[in-house]
Amino acid sequence: MLPSVHHALALGISALSAVSAQTYSEPYRPQYHFTPAENWMNDPNGLIYHNDIYHLFYQYNPGGTTWGAMSWGHATSPDLIHWEHQPVALLARGFPDAITEMFFSGTTVADADNTSGFGANGATPLVAMYTSYYPQAQDLPSGKSVVANQQAQSIAYSVDDGMTWTTYDAGNPVIAEPPAEYADQVLEFRDPSVFWHQASGNWVAVVSLAKLHKLLIYTSTDLKSWEYVSEFGPANAVGGVWECPSIFPLALDGDEQDVKWVAQIGLNPGGPPGVTGSGTQYIVGSFDGTSFTADPESMQQTNWLDWGPDFYAALSFNGLPADNRIDITWMNNWQYAAAIPTDPWRSSLTVPRKLSLATINGTATVVQQPIVQNHNSQPRHWSSVPTGNTKLNMTGKAIDAILSFSESTSTEFGLIVRASADLTEQTRVGYNFDTKQLFVDRTQSGETGFEGSFASVYYAPLGSNDGNITLRVLVDWSSVEVFGGAGEVSLTAQIFPSDDSVDTYLFSTDGTTTGVELRAQQVQSVWN
Ligand code: FRU
C-alpha cells in the first residue's frame, strides 16, 4: 500500500473529472489485457466463477488515476477473454466528499448452503470479505469502535449474483482486530482470502499481519463469527510487507491422491533479485483445516511466482472445480505504479493463468499456462539462424509467439519485439545459454524515464528440456509476459513503446542458433 494514505486520497479525489466513453485505442491501451475504462486500478479482488460467469472485482479509485478512494470495481466475463464493465460493486463510503470507509482487498465466496443467512427465496448469496480501512476514528452502526487508520475485516453480500452488494452493517467489522498478542498491529492487518474447506466443513480466512510477515488463519461456520486458529510465518522472503496472501490446493503432477497446498504471498518491496519494488512468492506445503505447514523442500529457496517487475497481488478464482486453479495478477509495481504514462486509466491485469503443480528438479513447482485466444498459426522453421538480427515478416503491437530452439554455440537467442525501424527502440526477450537464464531487456523499450529503475533487464532461471528451450511470449500494447519451458518460470514486464514500433526480429548473439521453430500470430483486440 502507498505510504501516504491521506496524500493519495486527496490527489485521487481532486482528479475527479467527467471522462467520455473510451475507445480502447489510446496510446499504450492493452488490447487483450483487462484495464478499467478510466481511473486507477490495483489488486484483483473477489475473483469468483458463479453461474457460468467469471466475476472480476478490483481495487479501484473512481476519483482519478492515482491510488485514492479505494472501492471495488467490477467486470464480468463468459470466457476469461472478453470482459464487460459493471457498476462499482463497493463504493468508498462517503465518496466523493468525506470518506469514512474504504474497501481494501479481499475475496468472495458463494454461500451455497446459506450458512450466513443472507440468502433469500432460495437464492445463493455471494459473500465478499474485504478489509475496511477507516481514515478516522469512529463509532460504527454495529456498536464497535475503530481508531484512525484501523484496518479490519468486514463482509458484504449480494443476492443478485454479484451485481449489487450490501455491507453487513449490523456486524461489521467481523474481525475487528488481530489477536491480543498482536494488538499493536491493528493498522497493518488486511487482505482476507476466504474459501470453503470441504474436509473440515468450515469457512477458512487467511489474513495478513503485513509488517510482521505473518498469515493469520481463522475459521467460521457462518462467515460472520470468526475464530483465530493458527499463524504461519515469517518464512522465506520477508521483504517489506506481506500483502494479499492466499492458500489453495493443487494436485502434484496431476495425482489427486497427492494434493499439496500452495501459499502465495505479495511482498512490497522485496521482489525477485534485480526487481525494485513489488514481487510475489509461493510456498508449497500442507493444510489440515487449521494450520498451513511448509514442506522443507519448498523452504530451501525462495520460489518466485514471476521473476519480472510487474506482477503483484496474485489472486485465484473461487468457485471452479477442484484442481482448476486460475490466477489473475496486477501487472504493475508500487515502485512506479502512479507514474506510468497512461491516461485516462492506470494499470492493467495479467492474462488469466491456469496453475498446476509439477515436480521439476525434485521440487514441487507451480507451472503457469496463459489463457488467451486460440493459437492457430503455422510453424516456421530455421535449421540455423545466423549471428545478428533476422527480420521477421510479421509486424504488430499485440502478438502471441511460441519460440523453441536448441542449445547452440551462440551465447544468446531470442525475439526482439516492438522495434522501431532503426532499432533504437526495442524490447529483447531471450535466453542466455551460458547462464541458463531467460531474460527481458526493457532498457530501450520506449518511454522509461518516468522512474529511475524502470529501464532494466530482468532474469529468470530456466533449464533446457533435453537441449531444447521453449518460450511463450505475449506482447500487448504496453506489456510483455514470457513463460519459460512448460511454464515453470514466468517473467512479466510493462513496456511503453512508440506507436509505430512494430517490427519483430530473431536475434542470435556470438554464433548461430539451431533447431528454431516459431509460431506467431497477432492477437485481436477483445474490446469493442
Ligand atoms: C496491495 C494493497 C493491499 C491493500 C490494497 C489497498 O497492493 O496494498 O494490501 O488491501 O493494496 O489498495
Side-chain angles (χ1 to χ4, degrees):
M1 189 179 61
L2 290 184
S4 166
V5 168
H6 294 295
H7 178 62
L9 179 58
L11 275 177
I13 291 172
S14 68
L16 180 62
S17 60
V19 182
S20 57
Q22 301 307 319
T23 60
Y24 275 77
S25 59
E26 304 93 336
Y28 307 135
R29 176 70 92 168
Q31 297 298 296
Y32 63 98
H33 288 81
F34 180 83
T35 50
E38 58 195 40
N39 295 322
W40 167 272
M41 169 179 69
N42 53 287
D43 318 347
N45 293 153
L47 302 179
I48 189 165
Y49 182 64
H50 175 66
N51 283 354
D52 302 329
I53 299 283
Y54 295 90
H55 291 265
L56 158 67
F57 302 89
Y58 53 90
Q59 286 290 281
Y60 181 61
N61 175 14
T65 52
T66 51
W67 191 90
M70 296 325 289
S71 304
W72 278 31
H74 185 199
T76 52
S77 172
D79 57 5
L80 290 173
I81 301 217
H82 303 88
W83 293 97
E84 187 179 339
H85 295 299
Q86 302 294 349
V88 171
L90 293 165
L91 181 65
R93 206 181 292 266
F95 179 85
D97 304 319
I99 301 219
T100 56
E101 180 188 5
M102 292 193 216
F103 298 89
F104 278 11
S105 285
T107 50
T108 59
V109 289
D111 181 13
D113 294 334
N114 196 22
T115 62
S116 62
F118 291 137
N121 306 324
T124 292
L126 296 185
V127 179
M129 190 168 188
Y130 54 89
T131 297
S132 294
Y133 166 73
Y134 304 100
Q136 309 90 21
Q138 54 195 285
D139 299 323
L140 299 167
S142 60
K144 298 173 184 169
S145 302
V146 290
V147 300
N149 303 317
Q150 184 161 339
Q151 299 177 354
Q153 320 320 318
S154 295
I155 56 177
Y157 59 93
S158 169
V159 289
D160 60 0
D161 295 326
M163 301 316 288
T164 60
W165 292 81
T166 306
T167 50
Y168 175 50
D169 293 345
N172 279 341
V174 293
I175 307 178
E177 286 153 11
E181 57 196 299
Y182 301 124
D184 61 341
Q185 297 299 309
V186 72
L187 310 187
E188 295 285 351
F189 176 46
R190 58 181 174 270
D191 305 341
S193 162
V194 57
F195 61 92
W196 175 252
H197 188 250
Q198 184 68 38
S200 59
N202 271 326
W203 298 104
V204 176
V206 178
V207 189
S208 180
L209 271 188
K211 278 207 167 145
L212 298 186
H213 309 110
K214 283 182 189 287
L215 311 186
L216 302 187
I217 299 181
Y218 292 78
T219 58
S220 172
T221 53
D222 62 1
L223 292 161
K224 293 173 172 165
S225 118
W226 290 91
E227 186 188 352
Y228 167 59
V229 292
S230 74
E231 63 170 66
F232 173 76
N236 274 5
V238 292
V241 287
W242 271 14
E243 297 181 313
C244 301
S246 55
I247 63 170
F248 50 81
L250 278 179
L252 181 62
D253 299 318
D255 179 358
E256 296 295 339
Q257 305 308 315
D258 192 7
V259 172
K260 302 267 184 194
W261 283 72
V262 176
Q264 62 181 8
I265 304 166
L267 296 83
N268 181 59
V275 168
T276 313
S278 318
T280 303
Q281 70 171 326
Y282 68 90
I283 298 169
V284 179
S286 57
F287 180 64
D288 61 5
T290 53
S291 302
F292 177 84
T293 309
D295 285 354
E297 310 84 74
S298 194
M299 295 294 290
Q300 279 166 12
Q301 67 290 314
T302 299
N303 312 294
W304 297 106
L305 200 54
D306 188 282
W307 292 77
D310 294 305
F311 190 92
Y312 197 58
L315 183 66
S316 67
F317 278 86
N318 276 328
L320 291 170
D323 216 44
N324 189 0
R325 191 53 60 179
I326 296 172
D327 257 7
I328 295 182
T329 304
W330 185 42
M331 195 153 55
N332 213 336
N333 185 322
W334 281 116
Q335 176 79 14
Y336 45 69
I340 60 168
T342 62
D343 185 61
W345 81 99
R346 264 223 185 85
S347 290
S348 61
L349 301 178
T350 62
V351 291
R353 300 169 177 206
K354 172 130 173 59
L355 307 185
S356 53
L357 195 63
T359 307
I360 296 178
N361 298 330
T363 308
T365 305
V366 173
V367 172
Q368 303 178 59
Q369 283 297 324
I371 297 173
V372 286
Q373 295 161 44
N374 286 342
H375 193 114
N376 42 31
S377 74
Q378 293 302 316
R380 290 186 60 191
H381 294 100
W382 291 258
S383 53
S384 73
V385 173
T387 304
N389 297 334
T390 302
K391 192 167 185 182
L392 296 168
N393 62 2
M394 186 188 66
T395 58
K397 300 199 290 175
I399 293 171
D400 176 2
I402 306 169
L403 178 66
S404 58
F405 46 95
S406 304
E407 273 178 320
S408 298
T409 53
S410 54
T411 54
E412 289 180 353
F413 182 73
L415 267 181
I416 296 174
V417 298
R418 301 304 310 269
S420 59
D422 62 1
L423 271 163
T424 52
E425 202 170 280
Q426 52 168 274
T427 299
R428 295 168 87 84
V429 179
Y431 186 74
N432 186 308
F433 296 104
D434 296 335
T435 60
K436 300 198 184 309
Q437 282 174 323
L438 153 67
F439 63 88
V440 171
D441 179 345
R442 67 175 181 189
T443 55
Q444 296 168 264
S445 55
E447 246 187 285
T448 58
F450 52 85
E451 196 270 336
S453 73
F454 192 85
S456 297
V457 189
Y458 303 95
Y459 302 92
L462 177 66
S464 76
N465 178 10
D466 282 341
N468 294 309
I469 291 107
T470 301
L471 308 179
R472 177 91 181 253
V473 184
L474 301 178
V475 181
D476 204 345
W477 284 18
S478 50
S479 62
V480 179
E481 282 165 283
V482 190
F483 300 83
E488 65 265 30
V489 292
S490 83
L491 202 165
T492 301
Q494 297 183 90
I495 51 171
F496 299 100
S498 310
D499 202 47
D500 53 3
S501 292
V502 294
D503 289 343
T504 313
Y505 295 80
L506 295 174
F507 69 90
S508 187
T509 308
D510 297 331
T512 57
T513 302
T514 55
V516 175
E517 178 185 285
L518 175 67
R519 286 184 285 151
Q521 68 185 24
Q522 299 222 15
V523 184
Q524 302 309 310
S525 177
V526 299
W527 301 99
N528 302 315

